[in-house]
Amino acid sequence: MRALLIEDDRMIGPSLKQALADAGVVVDWVEDAATGLAALDTSSYAVILLDLGLPDGCGLAILDRLRKRNDDTPIVILTARDDLETRIDGLDRGADDFLVKPFEVDELKARIRAAVRRNAGRSASLMECGELTLDLATREVAYRGQHHALSAREFALIQVLAERPGAVLSRSQIEDRIYGWGEEVESNAVDVLIHYVRRKFDKDIVRNVRGVGWVIPKATAGALA
């Protein structure tokens, strides 16, 4: 999962980035509204974590802009403002959730998972795709009777492919979803991740379309739970 954090506090930003990385969320962190909008114009994200008190304006302007162009990316507002009017205003303008600072990181992780589930039309943390089942809360994967907890990066790769069964994703498409800005990505990084996942389960869990990319076959995939 790739998230955009728009937060100007230089103590909160790095700590959240690290904490969420440990949960398998790749975070791109920006400190102002203008840079946040530029990031949203060039990249896609599973969720946006939005502070309201930004140095170049209110974060609600970003919320308004996205919703006016029918962008339904889940948005979780993170702010020190705890008055009822601000919470109601943010939710009415299209935010998916609202968390008042200070907050527990585990609660934020759960709210992120819930917002992403709702956006995908799921009510539970389990994602089912044919013989494959993913638990978004524990990073556990079940396939043909085998159960394993994957590393954050391995799970992110499988989740990206399971979200679009039958669609062949290229190396660059996968890298864009599971790596953040500034991360050094080896040319064979995706190949290595797939090798590790196949070694834990079976080579059929992810199939290669030579010269194109990788896919979880739609022929054996059901709807996402």
Side-chain angles (χ1 to χ4, degrees), residues 178-189:
I178 68 175
Y179 293 100
W181 296 339
E183 291 190 82
E184 293 187 9
V185 184
E186 298 290 339
S187 60
N188 66 338

Side-chain angles (χ1 to χ4, degrees), residues 81-107:
R81 303 179 190 176
D82 62 354
D83 60 286
L84 180 61
E85 183 178 350
T86 298
R87 295 200 300 273
I88 291 174
D89 188 33
L91 293 169
D92 281 345
R93 289 162 77 164
D96 295 83
D97 208 342
F98 200 108
L99 203 53
V100 176
K101 302 173 184 176
F103 51 80
E104 294 293 332
V105 173
D106 284 344
E107 181 179 3

Side-chain angles (χ1 to χ4, degrees), residues 40-113:
L40 290 166
D41 285 339
T42 58
S43 302
S44 59
Y45 295 94
V47 64
I48 300 166
L49 307 176
L50 178 64
D51 184 25
L52 295 185
L54 298 171
D56 55 348
C58 180
L60 290 175
I62 296 176
L63 173 62
D64 290 339
R65 177 167 172 172
L66 291 178
R67 296 312 185 229
K68 284 179 181 178
R69 69 187 191 191
N70 296 319
D71 186 327
D72 64 354
T73 302
I75 296 177
V76 179
I77 292 177
L78 310 177
T79 182
R81 303 179 190 176
D82 62 354
D83 60 286
L84 180 61
E85 183 178 350
T86 298
R87 295 200 300 273
I88 291 174
D89 188 33
L91 293 169
D92 281 345
R93 289 162 77 164
D96 295 83
D97 208 342
F98 200 108
L99 203 53
V100 176
K101 302 173 184 176
F103 51 80
E104 294 293 332
V105 173
D106 284 344
E107 181 179 3
L108 173 60
K109 293 174 185 176
R111 288 177 182 268
I112 289 173
R113 292 194 298 269

Side-chain angles (χ1 to χ4, degrees), residues 14 18-19 65 86 102 126 128 139 157 197 209 221:
Q18 181 58 58
R65 177 167 172 172
T86 298
L126 294 181
E128 295 181 355
R139 294 208 305 264
L157 180 142
V197 170
V209 178

